[in-house]
Amino acid sequence: MMKNSLRIWVEKMLLFNHLTKIVRFFSFGFRPLCLFVSLSVITCAPQKHDSVIILYDRPPRTLDPHLRSEIVTLSILCNVYECLVDYDPHLKLVPKLAENWTMLDSLTWEIALRKGVKFHNQKPLTEQDVIYSLYRVFKLPGSEMKDLRMIVDTVTGSNGTILIKTRFPYYYLMNHLTNLAIVPDNFSDFENKPTGSGPYRVLNIYRDSIVCAVNQDYWDKAPKIKKGIFKFVPELSERIRLIKNNQADIAYGLPLEVIQSLGDSLKILLAPSVVARQLEYNLNKFPFNILQFRQALNLAIDRAGLVRELYKNNALPANQYIPMGFIGYAVDFPPLFYNPTEAQKLIKNLIPKISIKFAYAQSVEAVGKFIAKNLRDIGIGVYELALSSEEYWKGIEEGTLDCYLISYINTSLDGFNSTIINSFHSHCPEKGMGLMNLNGYSNYMVDSLINKVIKTPDPDTRLRYIREIQKQLLADLPSIPVVWEPRVYGVSRNIKWHPRLDQQIRLAEIEYK
């Protein structure tokens, strides 16, 4: 296993910043249970079962593990596919299909593959599967995971060992591999026959659900849950009804405001969140291409009021792009101030009357309406589009939405890797950079600093560069940070389970009482 200053740094940040700070904040005045808060826990007679039903408000955007980094997609596919390395529930790096790894020199990584691993089609894991998986991501059109392309030069392998040569010294490579699923060599029929090496295999794919069964040939400890059903139920009331009546076990992502109305009728878990809620817009379109207008939007948002009124103080006003507890978070950045009077002045100096279309998913309608009112209060005409999940994501992917409310979920302890590279480097898919930057942002200084961070091994210097990037982003406002919010889960009273910081629901981590 690699032993260097990076590992010490990551573990130090994880144990001190991520756990201590987040647990302090998200105790909410209740007694913390591990990292999570349980509200209204109701006891009932234990039942013995070996299957669970997980509810989402929408289906995954794809079943191809190399295409999308959207949370519902990742949360389902993480049960089917595995990577060379993984994060445990507290985002600590652990071996998976890689048994161990080391840096042979500043450019070369040697990775020993785990023996005895089989894919769901009974094919044994070989080095050729790893080589195929990495190069497939590099070549796959539209992939949101090809940022390794800017780092990795060549991948070779023999005798159960992989050699990865990087284009420059890069000490964070293993962190970058945590979302890169390993699939069988030359396999491509993912939408019909998802085939990985994970603890569960896909049995059936329906329009409103995906059914998974335990992988009997799994190389690791056999999970206690033998069958998992992921159901897609758009109606909030129906998801709550199913949980209340013990017809489902976990409902993902309930709106925070429903907690007060549920009383003691439902078990609720609040997870300290890695979700950053932001206002995003098309920087190539008027009036969003004018900095003065973006500054007015930023000043118009009452983050403290939003946290107080809608989140009942169970969230944090965002003041930067990397959430608290993640590497790159700047502890001394001031809050983003609410100043509607100054925002009105900026708008009046720009143009007498401006109207915009503002879109948000129906699942976060309360937040969307709050922000829309903030914007109207400074004189902006706002036409609201409360869209179904399908309409919302289609609009983003096709570029038809000029202004919308979106969330980003950090799936790595390193906020730079999970937030800055993909979202704020100039869109450059041929280099694997700026893959999520589809709104036209480009700043030479930011690009230059990102390239410096990538090539900097010293943690303190790296943090200093990340800090400068965030300061420049807050000056440019390519998007507007709004709030860091928790995830709310409705949970059956019959199971034992704690939410993960990366929001993935892993069937192998669920037990019946």
Side-chain angles (χ1 to χ4, degrees):
M1 190 71 67
M2 180 178 65
K3 295 181 179 179
N4 55 25
S5 60
L6 169 62
R7 182 178 178 185
I8 296 172
W9 169 256
V10 170
E11 292 183 354
K12 179 180 178 182
M13 289 293 294
L14 176 65
L15 294 174
F16 182 71
N17 281 344
H18 204 72
L19 302 187
T20 304
K21 290 182 179 178
I22 293 183
V23 168
R24 278 181 191 162
F25 178 73
F26 282 97
S27 61
F28 305 128
F30 299 88
R31 177 175 295 179
L33 177 60
C34 295
L35 286 180
F36 307 96
V37 180
S38 180
L39 304 179
S40 306
V41 179
I42 305 172
T43 60
C44 65
Q47 300 179 26
K48 296 295 183 181
H49 296 281
D50 61 0
S51 65
V52 295
I53 297 175
I54 315 297
L55 305 178
Y56 288 100
D57 66 339
R58 62 188 184 277
R61 292 167 66 193
T62 179
L63 294 180
D64 187 330
H66 295 154
L67 194 55
R68 299 289 179 230
S69 59
E70 182 262 339
I71 185 57
V72 175
T73 302
L74 293 177
S75 187
I76 293 173
L77 296 187
C78 71
N79 294 283
V80 179
Y81 298 96
E82 295 179 301
C83 306
L84 292 172
V85 287
D86 195 11
Y87 285 115
D88 72 5
H90 308 310
L91 294 186
K92 179 181 178 181
L93 199 66
V94 294
K96 207 65 176 181
L97 297 183
E99 204 161 40
N100 56 71
W101 57 89
T102 188
M103 288 187 76
L104 299 181
D105 55 50
S106 63
L107 297 178
T108 309
W109 290 73
E110 183 181 68
I111 301 172
L113 295 183
R114 191 176 297 279
K115 297 177 177 62
V117 176
K118 289 183 179 180
F119 291 102
H120 300 156
N121 60 4
Q122 299 300 304
K123 180 188 182 302
L125 171 70
T126 69
E127 58 273 9
Q128 192 56 43
D129 302 311
V130 178
I131 295 169
Y132 170 72
S133 298
L134 267 72
Y135 282 121
R136 181 177 186 269
V137 170
F138 297 168
K139 299 174 183 177
L140 187 63
S143 172
E144 297 173 353
M145 301 180 179
K146 61 175 65 176
D147 49 342
L148 272 172
R149 189 172 183 176
M150 64 182 171
I151 298 165
V152 173
D153 185 23
T154 59
V155 185
T156 58
S158 63
N159 300 319
T161 300
I162 297 294
L163 290 180
I164 298 181
K165 283 193 172 291
T166 57
R167 301 178 187 274
F168 46 82
Y170 187 65
Y171 299 89
Y172 298 80
L173 179 65
M174 302 312 291
N175 297 69
H176 242 96
L177 294 175
T178 52
N179 273 337
L180 199 147
I182 304 304
V183 303
D185 183 24
N186 286 320
F187 189 86
S188 60
D189 190 17
F190 298 103
E191 298 297 342
N192 298 306
K193 298 178 181 179
T195 302
S197 62
Y200 294 87
R201 56 187 178 86
V202 173
L203 277 183
N204 299 103
I205 302 170
Y206 302 107
R207 181 178 179 84
D208 65 346
S209 62
I210 294 174
V211 181
C212 296
V214 72
N215 175 12
Q216 300 292 346
D217 297 316
Y218 189 50
W219 59 269
D220 203 357
K221 181 180 177 182
K224 294 183 179 180
I225 298 299
K226 303 305 179 187
K227 186 177 182 181
I229 302 172
F230 298 95
K231 288 184 66 67
F232 316 122
V233 183
E235 299 82 10
L236 173 62
S237 60
E238 179 63 8
R239 297 200 302 278
I240 292 175
R241 186 192 69 80
L242 290 170
I243 288 289
K244 279 185 175 181
N245 294 339
N246 287 323
Q247 294 176 281
D249 298 280
I250 300 173
Y252 170 83
L254 299 180
L256 194 62
E257 60 268 20
V258 306
I259 291 178
Q260 303 298 324
S261 62
L262 292 174
D264 289 341
S265 64
L266 184 64
K267 177 180 175 181
I268 297 291
L269 293 182
L270 267 66
S273 187
V274 291
V275 179
R277 185 76 55 186
Q278 297 184 16
L279 186 65
E280 215 165 76
Y281 27 68
N282 188 339
L283 290 163
N284 294 316
K285 295 282 189 72
F286 178 85
F288 308 106
N289 59 346
I290 300 175
L291 177 59
Q292 185 176 337
F293 182 74
R294 302 198 298 272
Q295 291 171 334
L297 295 180
N298 187 41
L299 290 168
I301 298 175
D302 182 8
R303 295 170 178 83
L306 176 65
V307 167
R308 182 179 61 253
E309 295 177 26
L310 290 189
Y311 292 95
K312 307 304 178 185
N313 294 319
N314 294 332
L316 276 176
N319 69 337
Q320 56 193 284
Y321 295 91
I322 297 176
M324 177 185 291
F326 288 79
I327 296 175
Y329 171 78
V331 296
D332 60 341
F333 274 21
L336 297 177
F337 292 107
Y338 171 53
N339 192 333
T341 302
E342 184 61 28
Q344 283 180 322
K345 291 180 182 178
L346 289 171
I347 293 293
K348 288 179 180 179
N349 290 337
L350 180 63
I351 193 169
K353 184 66 175 177
I354 295 179
S355 295
I356 64 171
K357 290 183 179 180
F358 173 44
Y360 47 79
Q362 292 170 354
S363 58
V364 291
E365 186 169 4
V367 180
K369 287 189 174 299
F370 187 98
I371 292 175
K373 182 180 183 304
N374 284 168
L375 302 185
R376 291 191 184 100
D377 287 345
I378 67 167
I380 298 175
V382 180
Y383 178 72
E384 297 178 50
L385 298 170
L387 304 176
S388 67
S389 294
E390 184 177 348
E391 293 172 320
Y392 175 80
W393 284 111
K394 181 180 180 181
I396 290 178
E397 290 177 354
E398 295 180 355
T400 58
L401 303 180
D402 291 341
C403 180
Y404 49 90
L405 187 64
I406 195 169
S407 64
Y408 286 96
I409 298 178
N410 289 270
T411 56
S412 167
L413 176 65
D414 193 329
F416 172 78
N417 286 344
S418 57
T419 300
I420 302 298
I421 295 177
N422 276 333
S423 297
F424 299 114
H425 191 284
S426 298
H427 185 59
C428 201
E430 66 277 7
K431 294 182 180 180
M433 305 184 79
L435 299 175
M436 303 296 290
N437 177 8
L438 304 178
N439 290 329
Y441 180 64
S442 183
N443 183 308
Y444 174 80
M445 181 184 297
V446 170
D447 290 353
S448 177
L449 285 169
I450 287 174
N451 290 330
K452 286 182 179 180
V453 174
I454 291 170
K455 299 178 181 180
T456 298
D458 178 65
D460 291 333
T461 305
R462 189 173 186 266
L463 282 176
R464 189 169 69 249
Y465 287 145
I466 296 173
R467 178 187 178 86
E468 291 303 312
I469 292 171
Q470 290 224 77
K471 288 175 66 176
Q472 185 60 54
L473 292 176
L474 289 170
D476 290 348
L477 294 172
S479 64
I480 295 176
V482 177
V483 66
W484 297 317
E485 60 186 33
R487 268 294 183 252
V488 180
Y489 300 83
V491 182
S492 164
R493 291 161 280 183
N494 300 321
I495 66 168
K496 292 170 58 179
W497 173 76
H498 296 300
R500 292 172 58 96
L501 294 172
D502 58 12
Q503 313 293 297
Q504 295 180 3
I505 299 179
R506 303 199 180 188
L507 300 173
E509 295 174 356
I510 302 173
E511 296 181 35
Y512 262 85
K513 294 179 180 178

